[in-house]
Amino acid sequence: MRIIFGLLVLQGCSSVVMSTLDQLDQIDPLTADPAGFEVALDMPDGVDVIPNSAMVQFAAQRVDTGDKIGGDFVLQRRNEGAAIFYIAHEDLPEMRNIQRVAQIWEANHADQSEGSLSVDMKLCQRQDLLDMDDTVSASIRLIPDGAFLPLVRNARLSDFLAEADVEMLPRCE
């Protein structure tokens, strides 16, 4: 099963830490404990993540039959100060069930199974003028109590947002 990781990452962006992507390729999301999945963001003061907009999508599909299983899970913020997000404890059983079904499909129909694991977050604006040269960094952890692996280092805000998009950002509440 091919699993694709996504996280505010622009393909070809020089800020993406390729060694982390290589390490992520070695982790099997079908067997990795979702309780260990966390995303940490280091953002400029002018932006934040809209509450309840951080989502992880996990899906699997059988190409031959069209059968699909998956879910969208809201990532909970560890606390108000730090931008560390994790899968809510009450969502873990459902995510583990999706993993079990996908494991069976993979074991029995590897060439007819595919899957995806991705993260999406929506930003809001805390101040009127943003410095597009401010930087954003992201780290990811997929192993309980494991180290955070740097995924994006010092990417300019302009790598994620076009000037026109900044005008469309909602105000943080």
Side-chain angles (χ1 to χ4, degrees):
M1 178 175 291
R2 181 163 172 77
I3 301 295
I4 302 164
F5 289 95
L7 171 71
L8 299 174
V9 174
L10 303 176
Q11 293 302 321
C13 177
S14 63
S15 300
V16 175
V17 180
M18 297 309 290
S19 61
T20 296
L21 290 180
D22 291 341
Q23 288 179 39
L24 291 176
D25 277 344
Q26 304 306 309
I27 296 172
D28 183 357
L30 297 181
T31 58
D33 184 358
F37 182 82
E38 291 187 331
V39 177
L41 298 177
D42 182 12
M43 301 175 290
D45 292 336
V47 295
D48 203 351
V49 175
I50 296 174
N52 299 315
S53 76
M55 303 282 293
V56 63
Q57 296 90 27
F58 186 55
Q61 177 179 349
R62 286 267 312 271
V63 177
D64 55 342
T65 64
D67 291 340
K68 297 178 184 179
I69 189 169
D72 295 338
F73 305 96
V74 174
L75 294 172
Q76 303 295 308
R77 194 169 190 153
R78 179 124 344 257
N79 63 44
E80 288 302 315
I84 298 176
F85 299 88
Y86 64 96
I87 297 171
H89 299 292
E90 59 269 13
D91 288 338
L92 293 174
E94 182 179 353
M95 190 157 184
R96 288 178 177 131
N97 184 56
I98 294 168
Q99 285 177 304
R100 278 191 290 278
V101 171
Q103 287 170 356
I104 292 168
W105 290 352
E106 174 71 9
N108 296 320
H109 308 280
D111 59 339
Q112 294 295 317
S113 300
E114 58 185 33
S116 63
L117 176 65
S118 62
V119 176
D120 184 44
M121 299 180 182
K122 294 182 179 21
L123 299 178
C124 60
Q125 185 172 330
R126 291 197 175 279
Q127 59 193 41
D128 290 331
L129 296 175
L130 295 178
D131 183 347
M132 298 303 279
D133 288 326
D134 278 348
T135 61
V136 176
S137 295
S139 299
I140 191 166
R141 167 167 49 199
L142 292 176
I143 300 169
D145 300 321
F148 276 97
L149 304 173
L151 187 57
V152 176
R153 270 197 200 123
N154 299 321
R156 292 175 359 141
L157 197 53
S158 61
D159 290 340
F160 297 105
L161 298 171
E163 292 286 346
D165 293 337
V166 171
E167 294 176 17
M168 302 301 290
L169 280 180
R171 294 293 290 185
C172 299
E173 296 183 24

